Every structure is written in C-alpha cells, then in structure tokens.
Amino acid sequence: MIALDEAFAGIDEEMRGKLMGLTVAFDLDVILTGHELWGAYGEVPSVAVHDLLRRPPAEGVSVVSLRWDGHDLIEDENLAGTAAGSVPQRPPSEGLFAADSNRP
C-alpha cells in the first residue's frame, strides 16, 4: 500500500496518466490525494474516487463517491455507503470527539 499526498501536483495530464499506468503495471494499491486528481485515465482499468466537500459555515464534510470503469467516471451510490458503515452514528460520551452539550 502506497499513500501519496498531493500526488502528481504540477505534472501535466498526459504524464499523470502514464504514472497512474505504472501503479497498474506494478500491481500497486494506492491512496492518492489531490485537488485535481480524479484517476480517470485510459491507463487505469478502474478506480474508486471519494471527493470530500466542505462548505463553511456548515459543519462536517460531504462525500461524493465516483467510480472510473476505464471509460466513464460515474457517481456510485454503492461506494458511498462503505465509509459510513464503519463510523459510529452517535458521538462518544467522552474524549476528543465527545458531543458538546453546550452546542445548539
């Protein structure tokens, strides 16, 4: 497993496709972050994309889940449910992420 933050920043689209193709050629499992990185390259047969959206002053983060099937980048509702199932639906009663009883 390889994780890269701001993967391929400053690299043109053609070279990004070639680099993504190398991850396929070497059979690598990767997690990539980037503002303009969608993974939708002909060199890649499939990829799951989770676009995190934050719109202050609203609290929290929304997730748009997409899937590249080698031809099209489409919204995938099946991917959207995978992360939510592993996250507690109620905040803990104590600790860093505890619910604040003073908040409206």
Side-chain angles (χ1 to χ4, degrees), residues 8-89:
F8 312 142
I11 297 175
D12 65 62
E13 286 294 311
E14 182 180 350
M15 184 55 74
R16 285 182 187 187
K18 290 177 182 180
L19 292 171
M20 291 291 288
L22 287 175
T23 68
V24 174
F26 291 120
D27 195 26
L28 299 174
D29 293 323
V30 295
I31 297 173
L32 307 172
T33 68
H35 293 283
E36 298 177 7
L37 185 62
W38 295 95
Y41 301 98
E43 295 87 349
V44 180
S46 66
V47 72
V49 176
H50 300 282
D51 188 23
L52 306 178
L53 305 170
R54 184 165 185 276
R55 296 196 174 118
E59 294 182 1
V61 176
S62 298
V63 179
V64 175
S65 296
L66 306 162
R67 181 177 44 86
W68 169 252
D69 64 4
H71 304 285
D72 297 302
L73 189 62
I74 56 174
E75 193 163 351
D76 191 328
E77 293 179 14
N78 293 324
L79 288 174
T82 58
S86 64
V87 176
Q89 298 305 307

